[in-house]
Amino acid sequence: MIIPAPNDIAFNIGAISIYYYGIIMAGAIFVALIAANFLFNKTYPQYKKDIVLESAPIIIILGILGARLYFCCLNPHYYFTRPLEILDIREGGLSIHGGIIGGILSILWIMKKYKIGFFKLIDPVACATALGQAIGRWGNYFNSEAYGLPTASQKWGLYIPIKDRVSQYSNYSFFHPTFLYESILDLIAFFVLLYIFKKFGKKYAGLTFFAYLTIYGVIRFFIENLRIDSELNIGGVIPIAGLVSVFFIIIGITGIFYTLKHNKTVR
């Protein structure tokens, strides 16, 4: 199956263009927040209801801020000479690793405000984040980004317009749709994390969060070995996203063993 190149603009309001990327990202955030709020309410009914939704503004602000600043800091030569473009996220330029860091900071703020254990809050959020990522990856499709190596088959691939192709692969037309691969893997991860959270969430608070770091770290590390459009590399060879993913995996596995070994709710 050949996946055609899409139009990145959904519609215009006067001179302002509204991009599919922004619409999809907004939808992904909305779905993730609703799912996280539902899981928290159902698992911890003793706490104030809808805490996640009440805290949505701080989660969204810190999440997007972290995602954008992380991306811009890894592209300093471009954005430090064009500071106004740091504010323009309609066409992309968000890093999920930075978003995760920003999300963790927002949870720290929320736990202090409502006096709730950190892991009780972040477990449902981590589970729902995987669902949001599965949806959000489709924004990359509309931006013709997050694609992989050229496909050997003429029957499978994502068509990338020549203006969006990596220069050394400009003679190729069809590439592996790594955005789709990650979207599918993220959806599978969501169901795995949902099972972990529902089965072991209350007994092992923190297990879902550490499982998320581990699973997503593995997914992203795998995807980074296929992607060719990322410029965030060390020496043009080692993808920074791959290194951060390894860091997530190490923290995740360590946290899983710690949580299971203590066999008690982590505060």
Side-chain angles (χ1 to χ4, degrees):
M1 180 180 69
I2 297 298
I3 305 174
N7 181 4
D8 59 343
I9 298 177
F11 56 90
N12 295 297
I13 301 178
I16 301 176
S17 297
I18 305 300
Y19 292 84
Y20 281 110
Y21 182 89
I23 294 173
I24 291 174
M25 291 304 297
I29 292 171
F30 176 78
V31 171
L33 287 171
I34 293 296
N37 189 70
F38 173 80
L39 291 173
F40 179 83
N41 287 345
K42 188 172 182 179
T43 307
Y44 301 109
Q46 69 271 30
Y47 291 105
K48 182 181 178 182
K49 190 177 181 181
D50 297 333
I51 286 177
V52 175
L53 288 184
E54 284 188 12
S55 306
I58 190 67
I59 296 174
I60 294 172
I61 291 172
L62 289 183
I64 294 178
L65 186 62
R68 186 59 172 173
L69 289 179
Y70 182 98
F71 181 86
C72 293
C73 286
L74 294 179
N75 293 272
H77 297 297
Y78 182 86
Y79 286 102
F80 288 177
T81 57
R82 303 171 178 84
L84 292 180
E85 291 194 25
I86 294 176
L87 303 176
D88 186 7
I89 62 173
R90 294 176 302 158
E91 298 182 61
L94 298 174
S95 169
I96 184 58
H97 288 123
I100 292 171
I101 294 172
I104 291 173
L105 293 177
S106 71
I107 296 301
L108 289 172
W109 182 86
I110 297 167
M111 67 171 281
K112 290 183 178 180
K113 179 179 179 180
Y114 292 99
K115 296 180 171 49
I116 300 174
F118 173 78
F119 291 112
K120 290 182 179 179
L121 277 168
I122 205 166
D123 275 351
V125 171
C127 181
T129 296
L131 177 60
Q133 288 173 244
I135 299 171
R137 271 302 169 193
W138 283 88
N140 299 130
Y141 165 63
F142 287 96
N143 277 0
S144 293
E145 61 187 7
Y147 58 88
L149 292 164
T151 56
S153 172
Q154 296 297 317
K155 297 181 179 180
W156 173 252
L158 168 67
Y159 177 78
I160 298 295
I162 191 168
K163 66 180 180 65
D164 296 313
R165 295 174 197 168
V166 176
S167 58
Q168 59 264 44
Y169 295 100
S170 59
N171 292 329
Y172 295 88
S173 297
F174 301 100
F175 300 79
H176 281 283
T178 47
F179 84 89
L180 176 60
Y181 301 160
E182 184 172 337
S183 177
I184 294 172
L185 291 173
D186 286 342
L187 186 60
I188 294 172
F190 165 70
F191 286 111
V192 172
L193 292 169
L194 183 62
Y195 173 81
I196 293 173
F197 181 71
K198 293 176 69 175
K199 187 77 173 179
F200 308 105
K202 294 191 74 171
K203 183 177 181 181
Y204 298 104
L207 183 64
T208 306
F209 170 63
F210 290 124
Y212 166 78
L213 291 180
T214 304
I215 294 171
Y216 182 67
V218 171
I219 291 173
R220 188 59 184 272
F221 185 81
F222 165 72
I223 294 296
E224 284 301 312
N225 286 313
L226 292 177
R227 281 185 61 175
I228 59 172
D229 68 327
S230 176
E231 297 179 355
L232 309 182
N233 297 326
I234 297 177
V237 178
I238 304 175
I240 293 177
L243 292 178
V244 176
S245 296
V246 171
F247 181 65
F248 278 9
I249 293 170
I250 293 172
I251 293 178
I253 292 176
T254 302
I256 288 172
F257 277 107
Y258 176 84
T259 304
L260 293 177
K261 180 180 179 181
H262 284 72
N263 192 26
K264 63 181 180 180
T265 299
V266 180
R267 300 296 297 176

